[in-house]
Amino acid sequence: MKARKVRQCCLPFALSILMSATFSAHAEDATESAALIAKGKYLAIAADCGACHTAPNQGKEMSGGYIISSPLGNIVASNITPSKTAGIGDYSEQDFVKAVRSGINKQGQHLYPAMPYTSYAKISDADMHALYVYFMHGVKADDNVPPATDLPFPFNIRSSMFFWNMLFADNKPFIPAKDKSDVVNRGDYLVNALAHCDTCHTPRNALMGQNNAQALSGGSLGSWYAPNITPDQQAGIGNWSDAQIAQYLKTGHVAGKAQAAGPMAEAVEHSLQHLSDDDINAIVAYLRQIPAVTQATHSPRDALGKPATDEAALRAVKNPDAGWQVYASSCANCHQADGAGNHFYPSLFHNTATGAPQADNLIATIVYGVHRQVDGKDVVMPAFGPDGLFTDRLSDRQIADVSNYVLKNFGNAQLNVTPEQVKTVREGGERPLIARLAQPAVWGGGAVVIIILLVLLVSISRKGKKHGA
């Protein structure tokens, strides 16, 4: 009887121990899950997912609808919330990985490389798992159905991306270099995988594939131009200090050098400013040691120009320069008559937008303005193109005139902007060869067949070389 009583007394005690252990296990699981979601959120920010998949000023987080302008037409970002009707709520982890790394959704459709899966292919398995957990459990489901992407023929044939992927998407995982430090390898992973800096700053060939032989040496982004960020002293950022590069990535502004606008402003606002100091420093360390790519330029982009001294003389002239007239009425109030700017508005000399070898960013800044929010503060320059106030809008001729005045006085005086160039920027930039060849007015429907045959021949040749190596 005594032994039985002991056993009966031990039973509640044993149950309490079991319940305590179960509770501890659940609490531990919950803590681990929360940590994984937090990790996934940070990775999604580093990958800049929100910049494209959240429509500005109206869309809910990751619910799609943002229009991405591309040389081939407008691409509408999809809903990537865990909605089962409009988003990716029914995606398995394998489906998610296939979409992110290979650019193929659950329905088997090829995605367009405006979604940078060519870079995301290098994301590690552990990070991909954290991203999946975050999107499934850390993002609020939203049933918004964005408009479908409707590119012109033949680019609306998504299956054609199969051939493009054979040429330009290798799906190779990131492998840290044994002869590089952990910091440099982390920077490599961020620049060429998560943050996908390479997709904008690397030039592209006639078929819109990256020319990685000239990696990070600058590339056209439709209306904008992503500059050379290799450590070349003249053409790149070799004359920037580590602190200046880090400051630019965090704030989009370095006095006397550069201010972020367009796609770079979006990257700073939605992604880079939120990265840890360690990750920013890793990016800097990586950029410092990549091969410098030299280009035809006589001085760094931020070294050109000086304050204007012709204000009084121009006012005394009966028929003053047309560009100065636009500048005096639309720009001088903020940037000052001598172009020196002030605490709120940047100097126009010693400015990468005015000293660059191409005028794209200067023109685009005038047309579209500047919009970025850093540390909760808005940095804004009004647009003078179609999005500007009716009283602020300038014609192509006026924008060309004021661009030339600014270039002559504050930047690269070797450039000359024409109204035709401004029109091209307004329309989304120079169209690549593949887009021009596909126009019905050029070759008609036969263009599709010829392009596909060419791609097939090149891909077969490429595979042959791989097997023969």
Side-chain angles (χ1 to χ4, degrees):
M1 291 294 292
K2 287 183 180 179
R4 188 176 181 183
K5 285 182 179 179
V6 169
R7 286 196 295 269
Q8 286 176 339
C9 290
C10 287
L11 183 59
F13 179 67
L15 286 174
S16 69
I17 292 176
L18 179 61
M19 292 174 65
S20 176
T22 302
F23 177 79
S24 297
H26 283 312
E28 186 175 341
D29 287 345
T31 301
E32 289 181 357
S33 178
L36 194 59
I37 290 172
K39 177 184 177 182
K41 181 176 182 178
Y42 180 84
L43 294 169
I45 290 171
D48 209 8
C49 304
C52 289
H53 288 278
T54 303
N57 304 322
Q58 55 185 4
K60 294 183 180 179
E61 185 182 25
M62 305 296 180
S63 64
Y66 180 68
I67 297 175
I68 304 167
S69 296
S70 87
L72 308 182
N74 290 334
I75 296 171
V76 184
S78 59
N79 182 329
I80 56 172
T81 73
S83 166
K84 291 185 178 295
T85 58
I88 58 172
D90 62 346
Y91 274 46
S92 67
E93 187 164 347
Q94 184 178 5
D95 294 331
F96 179 83
V97 170
K98 189 174 183 180
V100 176
R101 282 186 176 157
S102 302
I104 300 175
N105 65 19
K106 183 179 176 68
Q107 293 71 40
Q109 298 173 317
H110 284 272
L111 305 179
Y112 295 109
M115 197 290 223
Y117 57 84
T118 53
S119 293
Y120 290 164
K122 301 178 181 68
I123 296 177
S124 69
D125 291 344
D127 284 355
M128 197 66 75
H129 176 63
L131 282 165
Y132 178 73
V133 172
Y134 166 65
F135 277 103
M136 291 302 167
H137 303 288
V139 175
K140 185 178 180 180
D142 187 272
D143 295 332
N144 173 58
V145 179
T149 294
D150 185 21
L151 295 183
F153 180 82
F155 305 113
N156 60 340
I157 305 174
R158 287 180 178 265
S159 56
S160 65
M161 290 305 305
F162 170 81
F163 303 107
W164 190 91
N165 289 338
M166 289 178 66
L167 288 172
F168 305 117
D170 56 26
N171 285 326
K172 291 180 180 178
F174 175 78
I175 300 175
K178 294 181 179 179
D179 60 339
K180 304 293 183 183
S181 68
D182 290 344
V183 173
V184 169
N185 275 317
R186 175 63 177 174
D188 187 352
Y189 182 68
L190 287 164
V191 168
N192 296 303
L194 269 179
H196 58 279
C197 311
D198 60 324
T199 61
C200 290
H201 288 274
T202 298
R204 293 183 177 268
N205 58 31
L207 293 178
M208 296 299 291
Q210 286 184 203
N211 179 10
N212 289 321
Q214 299 287 312
L216 303 175
S217 65
S220 179
L221 291 174
S223 298
W224 301 86
Y225 189 88
N228 185 330
I229 55 172
T230 73
D232 185 79
Q233 289 288 329
Q234 304 294 326
I237 55 174
N239 69 324
W240 291 47
S241 69
D242 289 359
Q244 287 173 330
I245 299 173
Q247 179 184 332
Y248 184 75
L249 294 174
K250 275 285 194 180
T251 68
H253 172 78
V254 177
K257 282 197 176 288
Q259 299 78 41
M264 188 63 194
E266 292 180 356
V268 171
E269 177 176 343
H270 297 284
S271 177
L272 295 171
Q273 70 166 315
H274 304 290
L275 298 190
S276 68
D277 289 343
D278 285 345
D279 275 349
I280 291 293
N281 292 333
I283 292 174
V284 174
Y286 173 73
L287 293 177
R288 281 298 197 202
Q289 54 81 62
I290 61 176
V293 178
T294 302
Q295 293 161 335
T297 182
H298 300 294
S299 63
R301 299 187 299 274
D302 52 69
L304 297 177
K306 59 183 180 180
T309 58
D310 57 354
E311 171 76 5
L314 285 168
R315 287 191 178 279
V317 175
K318 185 176 182 180
N319 296 306
D321 177 82
W324 173 80
Q325 293 183 64
V326 176
Y327 182 83
S329 61
S330 299
C331 314
N333 190 49
C334 295
H335 293 287
Q336 309 304 306
D338 64 355
N342 53 35
H343 179 69
F344 297 102
Y345 297 97
S347 165
L348 295 178
F349 51 86
H350 297 173
N351 185 316
T352 55
T354 62
Q358 59 286 120
D360 302 45
N361 289 348
L362 172 60
I363 299 170
T365 298
I366 298 171
V367 171
Y368 300 111
V370 176
H371 311 275
R372 67 177 185 271
Q373 187 179 84
V374 177
D375 197 22
K377 298 178 181 178
D378 290 315
V379 178
V380 177
M381 169 186 153
F384 292 92
D387 294 333
L389 296 174
F390 181 77
T391 54
D392 290 341
R393 294 177 193 173
L394 300 174
S395 67
D396 291 348
R397 166 54 69 186
Q398 288 174 311
I399 292 176
D401 287 340
V402 74
S403 296
N404 288 325
Y405 173 79
V406 168
L407 292 168
K408 177 183 175 182
N409 287 275
F410 308 123
N412 187 352
Q414 303 300 314
L415 297 178
N416 182 65
V417 175
T418 66
E420 289 72 27
Q421 283 178 274
V422 178
K423 181 175 183 291
T424 297
V425 167
R426 285 183 189 270
E427 294 174 349
E430 193 72 34
R431 301 193 76 196
L433 179 63
I434 187 173
R436 297 199 303 272
L437 291 180
Q439 293 181 71
V442 179
W443 282 356
V448 183
V449 177
I450 294 173
I451 290 172
I452 291 175
L453 286 175
L454 285 173
V455 172
L456 276 172
L457 288 171
V458 175
S459 62
I460 292 170
S461 172
R462 186 185 184 207
K463 280 194 168 184
K465 288 179 181 178
K466 282 185 178 179
H467 290 305

